[in-house]
Coordinates of all heavy atoms in Angstrom, one line a residue:
M1 N 0.9 -1.3 0.0 CA -0.1 0.0 0.0 C 0.9 1.1 0.1 O 1.8 1.4 0.8 CB -0.8 0.0 1.2 CG -2.0 1.1 1.3 SD -3.0 1.1 2.7 CE -4.1 -0.3 2.5
S2 N 0.7 2.2 -0.9 CA 1.4 3.4 -1.1 C 1.1 4.3 0.2 O 0.0 4.1 0.8 CB 1.2 4.1 -2.3 OG -0.1 4.8 -2.3
G3 N 1.9 5.4 0.4 CA 1.6 6.4 1.5 C 0.3 7.0 1.2 O -0.5 7.1 2.1
G4 N 0.0 7.2 0.0 CA -1.3 7.9 -0.4 C -2.4 7.0 0.0 O -3.5 7.5 0.5
D5 N -2.3 5.7 -0.5 CA -3.4 4.7 -0.2 C -3.7 4.5 1.3 O -4.7 4.6 1.8 CB -3.1 3.4 -0.8 CG -3.1 3.3 -2.3 OD1 -3.8 4.3 -2.9 OD2 -2.6 2.5 -2.9
A6 N -2.5 4.5 2.1 CA -2.6 4.4 3.5 C -3.2 5.6 4.1 O -4.2 5.4 5.0 CB -1.3 4.2 4.1
F7 N -3.0 6.7 3.6 CA -3.7 7.9 4.1 C -5.2 8.0 3.9 O -6.0 8.2 4.8 CB -3.1 9.3 3.5 CG -3.8 10.6 3.9 CD1 -3.6 11.1 5.1 CD2 -4.7 11.1 2.9 CE1 -4.2 12.3 5.5 CE2 -5.3 12.2 3.4 CZ -5.1 12.9 4.6
R8 N -5.4 7.6 2.5 CA -6.8 7.5 2.2 C -7.6 6.4 3.1 O -8.8 6.7 3.4 CB -7.1 7.3 0.7 CG -6.9 8.5 -0.2 CD -7.2 8.2 -1.6 NE -6.2 7.4 -2.4 CZ -5.1 7.9 -2.8 NH1 -4.8 9.1 -2.8 NH2 -4.2 7.1 -3.4
E9 N -7.0 5.4 3.4 CA -7.6 4.3 4.1 C -8.1 4.9 5.4 O -9.2 4.8 5.7 CB -6.7 3.2 4.2 CG -7.3 1.9 4.8 CD -7.4 1.9 6.3 OE1 -6.4 2.3 7.0 OE2 -8.4 1.5 6.9
W10 N -7.1 5.4 6.2 CA -7.6 5.8 7.5 C -8.4 7.2 7.5 O -9.2 7.3 8.3 CB -6.4 5.9 8.5 CG -5.3 7.0 8.3 CD1 -4.1 6.8 7.9 CD2 -5.4 8.3 8.8 NE1 -3.4 7.9 7.7 CE2 -4.1 9.0 8.3 CE3 -6.3 9.2 9.4 CZ2 -3.9 10.3 8.6 CZ3 -6.1 10.4 9.5 CH2 -4.8 11.1 9.1
H11 N -8.0 8.1 6.5 CA -8.7 9.3 6.4 C -10.1 9.2 6.1 O -11.0 9.9 6.4 CB -8.0 10.3 5.7 CG -8.3 11.7 5.9 ND1 -9.0 12.6 5.0 CD2 -8.0 12.5 7.0 CE1 -9.2 13.7 5.6 NE2 -8.6 13.8 6.8
G12 N -10.4 8.1 5.4 CA -11.8 7.8 5.0 C -12.6 7.4 6.2 O -13.9 7.6 6.1
R13 N -12.0 7.1 7.3 CA -12.8 6.8 8.5 C -12.7 8.0 9.6 O -13.1 7.8 10.8 CB -12.3 5.6 9.2 CG -12.5 4.4 8.3 CD -12.1 3.1 9.0 NE -10.7 3.0 9.0 CZ -10.1 2.5 10.0 NH1 -10.5 2.2 11.2 NH2 -8.6 2.3 10.0
A14 N -12.2 9.1 9.1 CA -12.1 10.3 10.0 C -13.4 10.9 10.5 O -14.3 11.1 9.6 CB -11.2 11.4 9.3
A15 N -13.5 11.2 11.8 CA -14.8 11.7 12.2 C -14.8 13.4 11.8 O -16.0 13.8 12.0 CB -14.7 11.6 13.7
C16 N -13.8 13.9 11.4 CA -13.8 15.2 11.0 C -14.2 15.5 9.6 O -14.3 16.7 9.1 CB -12.5 15.9 11.2 SG -11.2 15.1 10.5
R17 N -14.5 14.5 8.9 CA -15.0 14.7 7.5 C -16.3 15.4 7.4 O -17.1 15.1 8.1 CB -15.0 13.4 6.7 CG -13.6 12.7 6.4 CD -13.8 11.4 6.0 NE -14.4 11.2 4.8 CZ -13.9 11.1 3.6 NH1 -12.5 11.2 3.6 NH2 -14.6 11.0 2.5
G18 N -16.4 16.4 6.4 CA -17.7 17.0 6.4 C -17.5 18.4 6.9 O -16.5 19.0 7.1
P19 N -18.8 19.1 7.2 CA -18.7 20.4 7.5 C -18.1 20.8 8.8 O -17.7 21.9 9.1 CB -20.3 20.8 7.5 CG -21.0 19.6 7.4 CD -20.0 18.5 6.8
Q20 N -18.0 20.0 9.7 CA -17.3 20.1 10.9 C -16.0 20.3 10.9 O -15.3 20.9 11.9 CB -17.7 18.9 12.0 CG -17.1 17.7 11.6 CD -18.2 16.9 10.8 OE1 -19.0 17.4 10.0 NE2 -18.1 15.5 10.9
M21 N -15.4 20.1 9.7 CA -13.9 20.4 9.5 C -13.5 21.9 9.7 O -12.3 22.2 10.1 CB -13.6 20.0 8.1 CG -12.1 20.2 7.7 SD -11.0 19.5 8.8 CE -10.8 17.9 8.1
V22 N -14.5 22.7 9.7 CA -14.3 24.2 9.8 C -13.7 24.6 11.2 O -13.0 25.5 11.3 CB -15.6 24.9 9.6 CG1 -16.6 24.7 10.7 CG2 -15.2 26.4 9.3
V23 N -13.9 23.7 12.2 CA -13.3 24.1 13.5 C -11.9 23.6 13.7 O -11.2 23.9 14.7 CB -14.2 23.5 14.7 CG1 -15.6 24.2 14.7 CG2 -14.4 22.1 14.6
F24 N -11.4 22.9 12.7 CA -10.0 22.3 12.9 C -8.9 23.3 12.5 O -7.7 23.0 12.8 CB -9.9 21.1 12.0 CG -10.5 19.9 12.7 CD1 -12.0 19.7 12.8 CD2 -9.9 19.0 13.5 CE1 -12.6 18.7 13.4 CE2 -10.5 17.9 14.2 CZ -11.9 17.8 14.2
Y25 N -9.4 24.3 11.7 CA -8.3 25.3 11.4 C -8.8 26.7 11.7 O -10.0 26.9 11.7 CB -8.1 25.2 9.9 CG -7.5 23.9 9.4 CD1 -8.3 22.9 9.0 CD2 -6.1 23.6 9.5 CE1 -7.7 21.6 8.6 CE2 -5.6 22.5 9.2 CZ -6.4 21.5 8.8 OH -5.9 20.3 8.5
P26 N -7.9 27.6 11.9 CA -8.2 29.0 12.2 C -8.9 29.7 11.0 O -8.5 29.3 9.9 CB -7.0 29.8 12.6 CG -5.9 28.9 12.2 CD -6.4 27.5 12.0
P27 N -9.9 30.6 11.1 CA -10.5 31.2 10.0 C -9.5 32.1 9.3 O -8.6 32.7 10.0 CB -11.7 31.9 10.7 CG -11.3 32.1 12.1 CD -10.5 31.0 12.4
D28 N -9.7 32.3 8.1 CA -8.9 33.3 7.4 C -8.9 34.8 7.9 O -8.0 35.5 7.7 CB -9.3 33.4 5.9 CG -9.0 32.1 5.2 OD1 -8.3 31.3 5.6 OD2 -9.6 31.8 4.0
T29 N -10.0 35.0 8.5 CA -10.3 36.3 9.0 C -9.6 36.6 10.5 O -9.7 37.7 11.1 CB -11.7 36.6 9.2 OG1 -12.3 35.5 10.0 CG2 -12.5 36.8 7.9
G30 N -8.9 35.5 11.0 CA -8.3 35.7 12.2 C -9.4 35.3 13.4 O -10.5 35.2 13.1
E31 N -8.8 35.3 14.7 CA -9.8 35.0 15.7 C -9.1 35.4 17.1 O -7.8 35.4 17.1 CB -10.1 33.4 15.9 CG -8.8 32.6 16.1 CD -9.0 31.1 16.0 OE1 -10.1 30.7 15.8 OE2 -8.0 30.4 15.9
Q32 N -9.9 35.8 18.1 CA -9.4 36.2 19.3 C -9.0 34.9 20.1 O -9.4 33.7 19.8 CB -10.5 36.9 20.0 CG -11.1 38.1 19.4 CD -10.1 39.2 19.4 OE1 -9.3 39.5 20.4 NE2 -9.9 39.8 18.3
R33 N -8.3 35.1 21.1 CA -7.8 34.0 22.0 C -8.9 33.1 22.4 O -8.8 31.9 22.4 CB -6.9 34.5 23.2 CG -6.3 33.4 23.9 CD -5.5 33.9 25.1 NE -4.4 34.8 24.5 CZ -3.7 35.6 25.3 NH1 -3.7 35.5 26.7 NH2 -2.8 36.4 24.8
D34 N -10.0 33.8 22.9 CA -11.1 32.9 23.5 C -11.8 32.2 22.4 O -12.4 31.0 22.5 CB -12.1 33.7 24.3 CG -12.7 34.9 23.6 OD1 -12.1 35.4 22.6 OD2 -13.8 35.5 24.0
E35 N -11.9 32.8 21.2 CA -12.6 32.1 20.1 C -11.7 30.9 19.7 O -12.2 29.8 19.3 CB -12.6 33.1 18.8 CG -13.6 34.3 19.1 CD -13.6 35.2 18.0 OE1 -12.5 35.6 17.5 OE2 -14.6 35.9 17.7
R36 N -10.3 31.0 19.6 CA -9.5 30.0 19.3 C -9.7 28.8 20.3 O -9.7 27.6 19.9 CB -8.1 30.4 19.3 CG -7.0 29.4 18.9 CD -5.7 29.9 19.0 NE -4.7 28.9 18.6 CZ -4.3 28.8 17.3 NH1 -4.7 29.7 16.4 NH2 -3.4 27.9 16.9
R37 N -9.8 29.2 21.6 CA -9.9 28.2 22.7 C -11.1 27.4 22.5 O -11.2 26.2 22.6 CB -9.9 28.9 24.0 CG -9.2 28.1 25.0 CD -9.1 28.9 26.4 NE -8.0 29.9 26.4 CZ -8.1 31.0 26.9 NH1 -9.2 31.4 27.5 NH2 -7.0 31.8 26.8
W38 N -12.2 28.1 22.1 CA -13.5 27.5 21.9 C -13.5 26.5 20.7 O -13.9 25.4 20.7 CB -14.6 28.5 21.8 CG -16.0 27.9 21.5 CD1 -16.9 27.4 22.4 CD2 -16.7 27.5 20.2 NE1 -17.9 27.0 21.8 CE2 -17.8 27.0 20.5 CE3 -16.2 27.7 18.9 CZ2 -18.6 26.6 19.5 CZ3 -17.0 27.3 17.9 CH2 -18.2 26.8 18.2
R39 N -12.9 27.0 19.5 CA -12.8 26.3 18.3 C -12.0 25.1 18.6 O -12.4 23.9 18.2 CB -12.3 27.2 17.3 CG -12.1 26.4 16.0 CD -11.4 27.4 14.9 NE -10.1 27.8 15.2 CZ -9.0 27.1 15.3 NH1 -9.0 25.8 15.0 NH2 -7.8 27.6 15.7
E40 N -10.8 25.2 19.1 CA -10.0 24.0 19.4 C -10.6 23.0 20.3 O -10.4 21.7 20.1 CB -8.6 24.5 19.9 CG -7.8 25.2 19.0 CD -6.4 25.5 19.3 OE1 -6.1 25.3 20.5 OE2 -5.6 25.9 18.4
A41 N -11.5 23.4 21.3 CA -12.1 22.5 22.2 C -13.2 21.7 21.3 O -13.3 20.5 21.6 CB -12.7 23.2 23.3
Q42 N -13.8 22.4 20.4 CA -14.8 21.7 19.6 C -14.2 20.6 18.7 O -14.7 19.5 18.6 CB -15.5 22.7 18.7 CG -16.3 23.8 19.3 CD -17.4 23.2 20.2 OE1 -18.2 22.5 19.7 NE2 -17.4 23.6 21.5
A43 N -13.0 21.0 18.1 CA -12.3 20.0 17.3 C -11.9 18.8 18.1 O -11.9 17.7 17.7 CB -11.1 20.8 16.6
K44 N -11.2 19.1 19.2 CA -10.7 18.1 20.1 C -11.8 17.1 20.6 O -11.6 15.9 20.8 CB -9.9 18.6 21.3 CG -8.6 19.3 20.8 CD -7.9 19.9 22.1 CE -6.6 20.4 21.7 NZ -5.9 21.0 22.8
A45 N -13.0 17.6 20.8 CA -14.1 16.7 21.2 C -14.6 15.8 20.1 O -14.9 14.7 20.3 CB -15.3 17.6 21.6
I46 N -14.4 16.3 18.8 CA -14.6 15.4 17.6 C -13.5 14.3 17.6 O -13.8 13.2 17.4 CB -14.7 16.2 16.5 CG1 -15.9 17.2 16.5 CG2 -14.8 15.4 15.2 CD1 -16.1 18.2 15.4
C47 N -12.2 14.7 17.8 CA -11.1 13.9 17.8 C -11.4 12.6 18.9 O -11.0 11.5 18.6 CB -9.7 14.5 18.1 SG -9.4 15.6 16.8
E48 N -11.9 13.1 20.0 CA -12.1 12.1 21.2 C -13.0 10.9 20.6 O -13.0 9.8 21.1 CB -12.6 12.7 22.4 CG -11.6 13.4 23.2 CD -12.3 14.0 24.4 OE1 -13.3 13.6 24.9 OE2 -11.7 14.9 24.9
Q49 N -13.9 11.2 19.7 CA -14.8 10.1 19.2 C -14.3 9.5 17.9 O -15.1 8.7 17.3 CB -16.2 10.8 18.9 CG -16.8 11.7 20.0 CD -17.2 10.9 21.2 OE1 -17.6 9.9 21.1 NE2 -16.8 11.4 22.4
C50 N -13.1 9.9 17.4 CA -12.6 9.4 16.2 C -12.0 8.1 16.2 O -11.1 7.7 17.2 CB -11.7 10.4 15.6 SG -11.1 10.1 14.0
A51 N -12.3 7.1 15.3 CA -11.8 5.8 15.3 C -10.2 5.8 15.0 O -9.6 4.8 15.2 CB -12.5 4.9 14.5
V52 N -9.7 6.8 14.3 CA -8.4 6.8 13.7 C -7.5 7.9 14.5 O -6.5 8.3 13.9 CB -8.4 6.9 12.3 CG1 -9.1 5.7 11.5 CG2 -9.1 8.3 11.8
V53 N -7.8 8.1 15.7 CA -7.1 9.2 16.4 C -5.6 8.9 16.4 O -4.8 9.9 16.3 CB -7.7 9.6 17.7 CG1 -7.6 8.4 18.7 CG2 -7.1 10.8 18.3
G54 N -5.2 7.7 16.7 CA -3.7 7.3 16.8 C -3.0 7.5 15.4 O -1.9 8.0 15.4
R55 N -3.7 7.0 14.3 CA -3.0 7.1 13.0 C -2.9 8.6 12.7 O -2.0 9.0 12.1 CB -4.0 6.4 12.0 CG -4.2 4.9 12.3 CD -3.0 4.1 11.7 NE -2.6 4.2 10.4 CZ -3.4 3.5 9.5 NH1 -4.2 2.7 9.7 NH2 -2.9 3.7 8.1
C56 N -3.9 9.4 13.0 CA -3.9 10.7 12.8 C -2.7 11.5 13.4 O -2.1 12.3 12.8 CB -5.2 11.4 13.0 SG -5.4 13.1 12.7
L57 N -2.6 11.2 14.6 CA -1.5 12.0 15.4 C -0.2 11.5 15.0 O 0.7 12.3 14.8 CB -1.7 11.7 16.9 CG -0.7 12.2 17.8 CD1 -0.7 13.8 17.6 CD2 -0.9 11.9 19.2
E58 N 0.0 10.1 14.6 CA 1.3 9.8 14.1 C 1.6 10.4 12.8 O 2.7 10.9 12.6 CB 1.3 8.3 13.8 CG 1.3 7.2 15.0 CD 1.1 5.8 14.6 OE1 1.3 5.5 13.4 OE2 0.7 5.0 15.4
F59 N 0.6 10.5 12.0 CA 0.8 11.1 10.7 C 1.2 12.6 10.8 O 2.1 13.1 10.2 CB -0.5 11.2 9.8 CG -0.6 11.7 8.6 CD1 -0.2 10.9 7.4 CD2 -1.1 13.0 8.4 CE1 -0.1 11.6 6.1 CE2 -1.1 13.6 7.1 CZ -0.6 12.9 5.9
A60 N 0.5 13.4 11.6 CA 0.8 14.8 11.9 C 2.1 15.0 12.5 O 2.9 15.9 12.0 CB -0.3 15.4 12.7
V61 N 2.4 14.1 13.4 CA 3.9 14.2 14.0 C 5.0 13.9 13.0 O 5.9 14.7 12.8 CB 4.0 13.4 15.2 CG1 5.4 13.3 15.8 CG2 3.1 14.0 16.4
A62 N 4.8 12.9 12.2 CA 5.7 12.5 11.2 C 5.9 13.6 10.2 O 7.0 13.8 9.6 CB 5.3 11.1 10.5
R63 N 4.8 14.3 9.7 CA 4.9 15.3 8.7 C 5.2 16.6 9.4 O 5.4 17.7 8.7 CB 3.4 15.5 8.1 CG 3.3 14.5 7.1 CD 2.0 14.6 6.4 NE 1.5 15.9 6.3 CZ 0.9 16.5 5.2 NH1 0.5 15.6 4.2 NH2 0.3 17.7 5.3
R64 N 5.3 16.7 10.8 CA 5.6 18.0 11.4 C 4.5 19.1 11.0 O 4.8 20.1 10.6 CB 7.0 18.5 11.2 CG 8.0 17.5 11.8 CD 9.4 17.9 11.7 NE 10.3 17.0 12.5 CZ 10.8 17.3 13.6 NH1 10.7 18.4 14.1 NH2 11.6 16.5 14.2
E65 N 3.3 18.5 11.0 CA 2.2 19.4 10.5 C 2.1 20.6 11.4 O 1.9 20.4 12.6 CB 0.9 18.4 10.5 CG -0.3 19.2 10.1 CD -0.3 19.5 8.6 OE1 0.1 18.8 7.7 OE2 -0.4 20.8 8.5
T66 N 2.1 21.7 10.8 CA 2.1 23.0 11.7 C 0.8 23.7 11.7 O 0.7 24.7 12.4 CB 3.1 24.0 11.1 OG1 2.8 24.2 9.8 CG2 4.6 23.4 11.2
H67 N -0.2 23.2 11.0 CA -1.5 23.9 11.1 C -2.6 23.0 11.6 O -2.8 21.8 11.1 CB -1.9 24.4 9.7 CG -0.9 25.4 9.2 ND1 -0.8 26.8 9.8 CD2 0.1 25.6 8.3 CE1 0.2 27.4 9.3 NE2 0.7 26.7 8.4
G68 N -3.5 23.4 12.4 CA -4.7 22.7 12.6 C -4.6 21.8 13.8 O -3.6 21.5 14.4
I69 N -5.8 21.2 14.1 CA -5.9 20.2 15.1 C -5.9 18.8 14.4 O -6.6 18.5 13.4 CB -7.2 20.3 15.8 CG1 -7.4 21.7 16.5 CG2 -7.4 19.0 16.9 CD1 -6.5 21.9 17.8
W70 N -4.9 18.1 14.8 CA -4.7 16.7 14.4 C -4.6 15.7 15.5 O -3.9 16.0 16.4 CB -3.5 16.6 13.4 CG -3.5 17.3 12.2 CD1 -3.4 18.7 11.9 CD2 -3.6 16.7 10.8 NE1 -3.4 18.9 10.6 CE2 -3.5 17.8 9.9 CE3 -3.6 15.4 10.3 CZ2 -3.6 17.6 8.5 CZ3 -3.8 15.2 9.0 CH2 -3.7 16.3 8.1
G71 N -5.3 14.6 15.4 CA -5.1 13.6 16.4 C -5.4 14.1 17.9 O -4.7 13.7 18.8
G72 N -6.3 15.0 17.9 CA -6.6 15.6 19.3 C -5.6 16.7 19.8 O -5.5 17.0 21.1
T73 N -4.6 17.1 19.0 CA -3.7 18.0 19.5 C -3.6 19.3 18.6 O -3.7 19.3 17.4 CB -2.1 17.4 19.4 OG1 -1.8 17.1 18.1 CG2 -2.1 16.1 20.3
S74 N -3.1 20.4 19.3 CA -2.9 21.6 18.5 C -1.5 21.6 18.0 O -0.6 20.8 18.3 CB -3.2 22.7 19.6 OG -2.1 22.8 20.5
E75 N -1.2 22.7 17.3 CA 0.1 22.9 16.8 C 1.1 22.9 17.9 O 2.3 22.3 17.9 CB 0.3 24.2 16.0 CG -0.7 24.3 14.8 CD -1.9 25.1 15.2 OE1 -2.8 24.5 15.9 OE2 -2.0 26.3 14.7
T76 N 0.7 23.7 18.9 CA 1.7 23.9 20.1 C 1.9 22.6 20.8 O 3.1 22.3 21.2 CB 1.0 24.9 21.1 OG1 0.7 26.2 20.3 CG2 2.0 25.3 22.3
E77 N 0.9 21.8 21.0 CA 1.1 20.6 21.7 C 1.8 19.6 20.9 O 2.7 18.8 21.5 CB -0.4 19.9 22.0 CG -1.2 20.7 23.1 CD -2.6 20.5 23.0 OE1 -3.2 19.9 22.0 OE2 -3.3 20.8 24.1
R78 N 1.7 19.6 19.6 CA 2.6 18.7 18.7 C 4.0 19.1 18.8 O 4.9 18.3 18.8 CB 2.1 18.6 17.3 CG 0.8 17.9 17.2 CD 0.5 17.7 15.7 NE 0.4 18.8 14.9 CZ -0.7 19.5 14.8 NH1 -1.8 19.2 15.5 NH2 -0.7 20.6 14.0
R79 N 4.2 20.4 18.9 CA 5.7 21.0 19.0 C 6.3 20.5 20.3 O 7.5 20.0 20.2 CB 5.8 22.5 19.0 CG 5.8 23.0 17.5 CD 6.3 24.5 17.6 NE 5.3 25.4 18.2 CZ 4.4 26.0 17.6 NH1 4.2 25.7 16.3 NH2 3.5 26.8 18.2
V80 N 5.6 20.4 21.4 CA 6.0 19.8 22.6 C 6.4 18.3 22.4 O 7.4 17.8 22.8 CB 5.0 20.1 23.7 CG1 5.5 19.3 25.0 CG2 5.0 21.5 24.1
L81 N 5.5 17.6 21.8 CA 5.6 16.1 21.5 C 6.9 15.9 20.6 O 7.7 14.9 21.0 CB 4.5 15.5 20.7 CG 3.2 15.3 21.5 CD1 2.1 14.8 20.5 CD2 3.3 14.4 22.6
I82 N 7.1 16.7 19.7 CA 8.3 16.6 18.8 C 9.6 17.0 19.4 O 10.6 16.6 19.1 CB 7.9 17.3 17.5 CG1 6.9 16.7 16.7 CG2 9.3 17.4 16.6 CD1 6.4 17.4 15.6
G83 N 9.3 17.9 20.5 CA 10.5 18.5 21.2 C 11.3 19.6 20.4 O 12.4 19.7 20.4
R84 N 10.5 20.4 19.8 CA 10.9 21.6 19.3 C 10.2 22.8 19.6 O 9.1 22.8 20.1 CB 11.1 21.5 17.7 CG 9.8 21.4 17.0 CD 9.9 21.2 15.5 NE 8.6 20.9 15.1 CZ 8.1 21.4 13.9 NH1 8.8 22.2 13.1 NH2 7.0 21.1 13.4
Ligands
SF4_1 S1 -8.3 12.5 15.1 FE1 -9.3 14.3 14.8 S2 -8.3 15.4 13.2 FE2 -7.7 13.2 13.1 S3 -8.9 12.3 11.6 FE3 -9.9 12.0 13.7 S4 -11.3 13.8 13.9 FE4 -9.9 14.2 12.1

């Protein structure tokens, strides 16, 4: 299975697919700190219900993904995990 096939396999089971994806990334218009906190909490609550949370977090850490909520973590939390 290629990397792209593997991604499609687990991402096809992602709980964030669909309109709820909007809370996983900051809006283009920017956001206040409390809005960000609320948005990230909404996204993390979806991650908690997701069947592929472990695969997602591994993927985001391996790619050093710098934007959005992945595997129940924010950019800042992943930076701590990676140690940078
Ligand atoms: S863990 Fe969160 S970001 Fe990752 S696929 Fe599931 S719902 Fe989406």
